Amino acid sequence: MTDQSVEIAEITTEVDRLAAEAIAAAEGAASLAELKEIRGQHLGKKSPMGGFKAKLGSLDPEDRKVAGQALNEANRAVGDAFSTAESALGDAARRRQLETERLDLTEIRREAQRGHLHLVTQARYRLEDVFIAMGYQVAEGPEVETAWYNFEALNIPDWHPARGEFDTIFVNLGEPEEVMLRSHTSPVQIRTMENQEPPIYIVAPGRTFRTDTADATHLPAFNQIEGLVVDRGITMADLAGTIDAFIKAFFGAEVNTRLRPSYFPFTEPSAEFDISMPDGSWLELGGCGMVNPQVLANCGIDPEEWQGFAFGFGIDRLAVMRYGLDDIRELVNNDVRFLRQF
Ligand code: DAH
């Protein structure tokens, strides 16, 4: 081996070593900036690899070829290592950028607040359910009525003192005091009997209106539920039993009911019904009675063949009692802090 060949072997070994070092450095770069710096150190003019290039000129042609080839291969391998590192670091940088610039839209979404039915609506639906379970149907009528349905057919002629008790809100239509906001749900009795053959078993819930000023126990717009049964052989015992059954179904088996004699033009005899309180006292809930034969006749039903009973009471007042509210106006103040409790 000549000195020359020793020298050339040393050169190629050294080139391989430098190349391996450069590749390892490229693979170890933590960022594109660092990679750029490493590239300068290992491939630049002043780098050891760059130095070899300058040395090639002093070799004889045979050796220059061998060394040049080794240097080219080393440069290619190092170049490849740098481009691989560069694209890997570029990908990582882009991923990091996407991650940090991502808009977290889930943060804006709030859990939607879900509401529920108003407690008067809940009471109304529960009452309907109780009566449907007893075989009744739910009937409805208009909130604006004529004197015939609101009064006349219910045996309240215009001269009757009971008219005054209803504190009616009249509508400026037709003859004076002919059209009105219904002051009770009893007109639905008339509409049902006019349109339906007995036997009839209905409840009619709905809004009613009076000129009352709102206070702790009154609302000018309130809700009633009316009951009407017309069938053969109906007696006051059926009425008392029905009232007791639905009150127990609504309030609980421990609650009792009683009837007290009263007066309504559309029932004869008439009664008011009370429910028992835990402390033994009685609370008045509504009115009831046997349908006045005159009312049946007004609707074209033969009172000799058919008898009936009817009842009516305020749903809002029922809710007030059931939940022990101390002001009925809470029901319409629309304060969600109040409504949410029920
Ligand atoms: N309509 C009456 C009122 O609003 C309540 C009422 C009493 C209804 C007796 C009835 C009944 O059906 O039989 O004051």
Side-chain angles (χ1 to χ4, degrees):
M1 229 186 247
T2 60
D3 278 0
Q4 283 272 311
S5 61
V6 168
E7 202 183 342
I8 192 72
E10 276 173 2
I11 289 172
T12 53
T13 309
E14 183 63 3
V15 164
D16 286 349
R17 194 185 64 77
L18 288 172
E21 211 177 272
I23 289 167
E27 284 170 352
S31 68
L32 285 171
E34 199 184 312
L35 188 70
K36 195 175 165 194
E37 206 183 302
I38 291 168
R39 188 195 291 270
Q41 285 164 11
H42 290 270
L43 292 179
K45 274 199 183 108
K46 289 182 191 137
S47 68
M49 290 275 261
F52 274 115
K53 213 171 176 180
K55 260 194 207 163
L56 287 184
S58 61
L59 297 176
D60 62 37
E62 197 59 22
D63 288 342
R64 194 188 304 152
K65 203 176 147 196
V66 175
Q69 233 164 32
L71 202 58
N72 279 343
E73 262 163 44
N75 270 327
R76 198 176 316 117
V78 172
D80 286 352
F82 272 98
S83 4
T84 306
E86 190 172 76
S87 74
L89 286 170
D91 283 353
R94 262 191 305 283
R95 261 199 306 280
R96 261 198 312 281
Q97 188 180 10
L98 281 177
E99 195 59 38
T100 52
E101 289 179 1
R102 196 175 81 186
L103 289 178
D104 186 0
L105 298 174
T106 58
E107 236 173 65
I108 296 165
R109 199 178 129 253
R110 293 271 179 305
E111 199 52 53
Q113 290 213 7
R114 222 195 277 180
H116 60 69
L117 293 175
H118 189 278
L119 74 157
V120 171
T121 310
Q122 291 179 39
R124 171 181 165 164
Y125 286 178
R126 282 199 53 212
L127 286 165
E128 289 179 9
D129 285 349
V130 166
F131 282 104
I132 286 167
M134 299 199 295
Y136 287 58
Q137 289 185 318
V138 177
E140 277 183 294
E143 292 179 357
V144 180
E145 272 295 10
T146 59
W148 167 257
Y149 290 104
N150 200 72
F151 293 128
E152 218 75 36
L154 287 162
N155 204 31
I156 316 172
D158 56 5
W159 49 264
H160 200 287
R163 280 228 182 171
E165 284 171 28
F166 279 100
D167 300 318
T168 309
I169 298 171
F170 292 99
V171 173
N172 197 5
L173 267 179
E175 294 293 306
E177 309 204 344
E178 246 314 295
V179 183
M180 62 211 69
L181 300 184
R182 66 178 176 193
S183 50
H184 51 177
T185 43
S186 300
V188 186
Q189 289 188 27
I190 304 303
R191 290 182 175 275
T192 306
M193 287 190 279
E194 279 182 353
N195 292 315
Q196 214 173 300
E197 297 285 320
I200 292 168
Y201 289 80
I202 57 127
V203 280
R207 288 212 296 174
T208 47
F209 309 86
R210 294 194 193 172
T211 56
D212 288 326
T213 301
D215 64 23
T217 55
H218 296 87
L219 290 174
F222 53 106
N223 295 272
Q224 284 191 340
I225 185 164
E226 190 83 11
L228 173 70
V229 167
V230 181
D231 206 341
R232 292 190 176 90
I234 296 292
T235 72
M236 196 104 182
D238 297 310
L239 168 61
T242 301
I243 286 179
D244 200 61
F246 95 73
I247 288 294
K248 283 182 162 54
F250 191 82
F251 284 103
E254 69 287 359
V255 178
N256 291 314
T257 59
R258 72 173 184 190
L259 302 189
R260 272 179 301 106
S262 185
Y263 172 77
F264 298 100
F266 32 92
T267 42
E268 182 57 36
S270 300
E272 260 152 336
F273 64 95
D274 301 340
I275 61 173
S276 67
M277 292 281 110
D279 67 359
S281 65
W282 293 92
L283 264 181
E284 182 192 321
L285 188 60
C288 61
M290 300 306 290
V291 180
N292 191 315
Q294 185 60 52
V295 174
L296 293 173
N298 289 345
C299 301
I301 292 173
D302 180 3
E304 297 298 324
E305 188 183 353
W306 304 98
Q307 300 75 46
F309 67 74
F311 55 86
F313 57 92
I315 302 177
D316 316 73
R317 289 201 48 212
L318 188 82
V320 165
M321 286 184 205
R322 178 147 198 266
Y323 299 107
L325 311 182
D326 40 43
D327 195 322
I328 200 169
R329 287 170 294 190
E330 295 283 17
L331 297 176
V332 292
N333 284 343
N334 285 339
D335 186 335
V336 288
R337 292 166 303 179
F338 168 80
L339 295 171
R340 213 178 262 146
Q341 303 173 79
F342 304 98

